[in-house]
Amino acid sequence: MQLTDTHCHIHEAAYLASLDTETKKKYVKAGEPSADEMILRACAADVTRLVCIGNTLEDSELAVDFVQSRGNVWASIGLHPHEAKGYVDNEQALKRFAALAKKPKVVAVGECGLDYFYTHSLPAEQAALLHFQIELALEHDLPMVFHVRDAFEDFWPIFDSYKGIRGVIHSFTATRKELDEALERNLYIGLNGITTFTDRQQQIDAIKAVPLEKMVLETDAPYLTPVPHRGSICEPKHIRVTAEFLAELRGEDLELLAAQTTDNAVALYGIG
């Protein structure tokens, strides 16, 4: 059996001394686990491919550097919507970021999108940065990793103003309405540990309705640890826990779910 973690941040565990991020705090609190040890533990749990996701310019550079010497790990470069105000008027930073799209083992752009749950950046700033990243992805024929929270009404008009976008809605936590809208646009749906502890029936109904051929699995490690491991750090190995939960919830064979979601990840990111 082979599983794929399409969204994690374990690259930061390899650069803790140079970081000042919330992710660093999670790793320090957990005793500073080694990124390579996490990869080995993932492989032992049949998680054979991982995609490390960037959230800022510097974080994306670290992700790109991290994956170069590791055979089963790839990078996505992204500027998170929370960070938009720091980039929209910074041409030098955007130029430096755009250059990363040409680097080896960069397989996607994101995570990027719109997030109205928090107000770290204004909607107009988030929209401008989203446009920039969509255009970069289309220029390099790369798929996209979208972060959309409480903002689908503004996200879809931006998405629909372009043609040829490929990608995934990361950490899908919405309803059947948003699921159907995403599927109409041929997007993949990223499911993670939230599925194991949500008590929102609309969300559970949507999770059950995701077509297996459009599902990919993710951890968002070190965040969103699945039940029964809540309270400990999330690692890529926990993909297996989420896969087992989803197979039971949806009445599907675990090996079929693992094979199909890995095939989907390979098709989306070209990580054969």
Side-chain angles (χ1 to χ4, degrees):
M1 185 165 65
Q2 294 188 40
L3 293 156
T4 300
D5 186 354
T6 62
H7 192 118
C8 69
H9 303 280
I10 66 166
H11 59 283
E12 290 201 1
Y15 303 98
L16 289 180
S18 63
L19 298 179
D20 182 18
T21 66
E22 289 301 312
T23 309
K24 175 182 179 176
K25 294 176 184 177
K26 293 283 287 187
Y27 284 124
V28 170
K29 186 177 180 181
E32 301 187 14
S34 159
D36 288 310
E37 288 175 353
M38 284 190 279
I39 292 173
L40 289 175
R41 287 193 287 269
C43 289
D46 298 319
V47 183
T48 58
R49 296 174 177 86
L50 299 86
V51 181
C52 290
I53 307 291
N55 280 325
T56 66
L57 168 59
E58 292 78 11
D59 189 47
S60 295
E61 290 175 334
L62 293 179
V64 172
D65 180 71
F66 178 78
V67 304
Q68 298 307 315
S69 60
R70 294 164 176 88
N72 63 334
V73 190
W74 292 264
S76 178
I77 57 168
L79 302 173
H80 195 284
H82 290 341
E83 310 293 334
K85 66 181 180 182
Y87 290 104
V88 287
D89 295 319
N90 191 337
E91 292 185 12
Q92 184 177 2
L94 293 179
K95 183 177 180 180
R96 190 169 133 197
F97 177 81
L100 293 174
K102 301 177 182 178
K103 296 290 186 179
K105 302 190 73 177
V106 170
V107 296
V109 174
E111 61 186 287
C112 60
L114 303 176
D115 189 322
Y116 295 172
F117 185 80
Y118 295 105
T119 56
H120 298 306
S121 294
L122 295 174
E125 294 169 329
Q126 295 184 41
L129 196 62
L130 176 57
H131 279 287
F132 168 78
Q133 291 178 91
I134 289 175
E135 290 164 13
L136 179 67
L138 291 174
E139 178 185 351
H140 294 278
D141 191 26
L142 291 171
M144 304 197 69
V145 180
F146 291 116
H147 172 113
V148 186
R149 191 173 186 187
D150 294 352
F152 278 102
E153 288 188 4
D154 285 354
F155 175 74
W156 293 129
I158 294 174
F159 183 99
D160 292 339
S161 68
Y162 297 91
K163 293 184 178 181
I165 300 174
R166 300 177 291 123
V168 58
I169 301 294
H170 149 63
S171 193
F172 183 81
T173 56
T175 69
R176 277 295 300 269
K177 177 180 181 293
E178 290 79 21
L179 172 63
D180 291 341
E181 290 170 340
L183 295 175
E184 286 172 5
R185 292 162 173 86
N186 202 34
L187 291 170
Y188 286 89
I189 306 298
L191 299 179
N192 54 40
I194 291 175
T195 64
T196 70
F197 57 80
T198 181
D199 59 0
R200 293 171 51 198
Q201 190 58 48
Q202 282 189 318
Q203 191 177 105
I204 295 169
D205 291 342
I207 291 166
K208 290 180 178 179
V210 176
L212 188 54
E213 63 271 18
K214 299 304 293 184
M215 181 194 301
V216 294
L217 303 180
E218 58 180 47
T219 58
D220 207 19
Y223 297 96
L224 307 180
T225 310
V227 171
H229 304 288
R230 301 291 292 162
S232 62
I233 196 171
C234 188
E235 294 188 24
K237 68 179 182 180
H238 290 127
I239 280 289
R240 188 179 185 109
V241 177
T242 299
E244 291 170 349
F245 175 87
L246 286 169
E248 182 174 353
L249 176 72
R250 293 160 52 93
E252 291 169 333
D253 177 75
L254 175 60
E255 291 195 5
L256 174 62
L257 186 146
Q260 184 63 66
T261 54
T262 286
D263 286 349
N264 295 343
V266 170
L268 177 61
Y269 294 124
I271 52 175

